[in-house]
Amino acid sequence: MEDTKYWLWLTMVFGIGSRRIWEAMSLFSSAREAYDVLTGDRSQLRLKDDEIENIAKTDISMAEQLIDSCAEKNISVIGYDSGDYPPQLRHIAVPPAVLYYKGNISCLRGTRTVTAVGTRKASPYGLRVTAKICSELAQNGIVIVSGFALGTDITSQIAAADTGRPTACVLGCGLDVDYPRGNFRFRDHILETGGVFVSEYPPGTPPHSRNFPNRNRILAALGRAAVVFEASSKSGSLITANMAADQGRELFCLPPADIMSDAYSGNCQLLRNGAVPLLSSQDILDCFRIGGSNDKEIRREAAESFGMPKPVVADNREMLSELFAELDVSIGAADIEAPVKSVKVPVKKAAKPAVPAKLPEGLTDVQKKIAEMLTDGPVHADMIAQKLGMDAGELMTELTELEIMGAISSLPGKMFEICR
């Protein structure tokens, strides 16, 4: 609670799922430090009027009271730096600063997970295949992640729970809200089999339509692969599918039962764009093969300590200038990575890392700069592009060449690391 309450306070000031939280955290070493500065001397901070008002009226005791209220409802609250925080979420651009959960959240950490999505009005064929595939995946140790909605979602999750395996339900409302009403009766069964309900929203939050795009980014990130069972061209499942693909996840799609049916127009679209046709559960199991990128990611998570990693943030001058007024020094990429103890003192630039000695010969200057950025560990492709001021397409060309040369390797979630 000691650290979590400050993360919760930040969501109360800047808003749930707000990028502004991470703009602030780029300049602070902890949520506690951010709280101390924001509630103290803000003479050099450039804040919006509503943010200043929120700081003035939001006492830390409000966050403490909410945590206590959640505990009374058997709902746990964790912040970004918690050891129970799912590491997959740290790869996305705007991670949830706080998560509310009920059940066994450890089922998402260091294990194989697959996000299953589809329409609420699924056909008998779609539901039959969903139940079969998800049951087989669960029996093979895969944790099914879905949105607990009617149709495809609940079918995938009950199929997993019926095998006695855990499944993760990501909600777009408070965990105590009876939504969707027809599915509430399944909650005990999912919890009894070691599953978990997760939400970015505090108890009592109704299922507003605006909540679900934010929910989908979490849904997409938690699965190390994603599968679309049935979707029209207007289905919200396509949003989750595209997010998963953007995060570097393997995307599977069920071939349509009828290529002329509008109910499968989304499936056709995804298959045209390169999604892997799903013909059996083995297709998905193969992407978790020993030595593959997913396997490496899972093993790395299992070996990591529970220390707080660096936030994945968009750290350019334009974005930060909205939050902070002129400091004693200009803000550069190295400044943002270094912890800031106070905004009143100049930010000490981090030492420039050296390029590893065993890089291939003949690298261009751009490729050397990319390699320098990866010497301290894996980095998200979007962050590389932002720091180097490169177009995404141009960067991917350079990354591909470096990977072919054996200088770097790609990881799930658009992450890249140096080959040592």
Side-chain angles (χ1 to χ4, degrees), residues 248 287 289-298 300 410-412:
C287 78
R289 63 188 180 280
I290 295 176
S293 59
N294 278 319
D295 179 64
K296 290 179 180 178
E297 181 182 88
I298 293 168
R300 183 168 55 252
S410 60
L411 302 172

Side-chain angles (χ1 to χ4, degrees), residues 252-328:
F252 296 88
C253 186
L254 180 67
D258 180 357
I259 61 172
M260 303 301 292
S261 171
D262 288 340
Y264 290 94
S265 55
N267 295 54
C268 293
Q269 178 181 326
L270 291 173
L271 291 168
R272 286 194 192 98
N273 292 337
V276 179
L278 177 64
L279 302 179
S280 74
S281 58
Q282 189 60 48
D283 295 328
I284 297 176
L285 292 171
D286 285 345
C287 78
F288 292 98
R289 63 188 180 280
I290 295 176
S293 59
N294 278 319
D295 179 64
K296 290 179 180 178
E297 181 182 88
I298 293 168
R299 290 173 183 270
R300 183 168 55 252
E301 287 174 7
E304 284 177 351
S305 65
F306 288 156
M308 179 181 174
K310 296 177 182 178
V312 180
V313 294
D315 51 3
N316 55 59
R317 174 185 298 275
E318 179 181 356
M319 193 172 291
L320 290 176
S321 66
E322 295 180 3
L323 182 64
F324 289 87
E326 294 182 2
L327 301 181
D328 295 334

Side-chain angles (χ1 to χ4, degrees), residues 158-291:
I158 292 302
D162 282 349
T163 69
R165 296 288 304 170
T167 180
C169 310
V170 186
L171 307 185
C173 59
L175 295 182
D176 60 340
V177 176
D178 186 3
Y179 180 85
R181 292 185 183 278
N183 289 1
F184 201 82
R185 66 185 186 277
F186 298 121
R187 293 196 180 199
D188 287 345
H189 181 37
I190 288 173
L191 292 173
E192 288 167 358
T193 53
V196 64
F197 288 83
V198 180
S199 179
E200 191 177 16
Y201 299 98
T205 303
H208 293 302
S209 58
R210 63 178 178 271
N211 295 352
F212 290 90
N214 276 342
R215 185 281 304 264
N216 288 348
R217 84 189 194 286
I218 299 174
L219 189 59
L222 287 177
R224 303 178 198 276
V227 55
V228 177
F229 284 101
E230 182 176 346
S232 70
S233 59
K234 297 181 180 179
S235 173
S237 301
L238 300 188
I239 298 175
T240 305
N242 289 328
M243 286 180 173
D246 288 344
Q247 292 166 9
R249 301 308 195 188
E250 190 84 58
L251 179 61
F252 296 88
C253 186
L254 180 67
D258 180 357
I259 61 172
M260 303 301 292
S261 171
D262 288 340
Y264 290 94
S265 55
N267 295 54
C268 293
Q269 178 181 326
L270 291 173
L271 291 168
R272 286 194 192 98
N273 292 337
V276 179
L278 177 64
L279 302 179
S280 74
S281 58
Q282 189 60 48
D283 295 328
I284 297 176
L285 292 171
D286 285 345
C287 78
F288 292 98
R289 63 188 180 280
I290 295 176

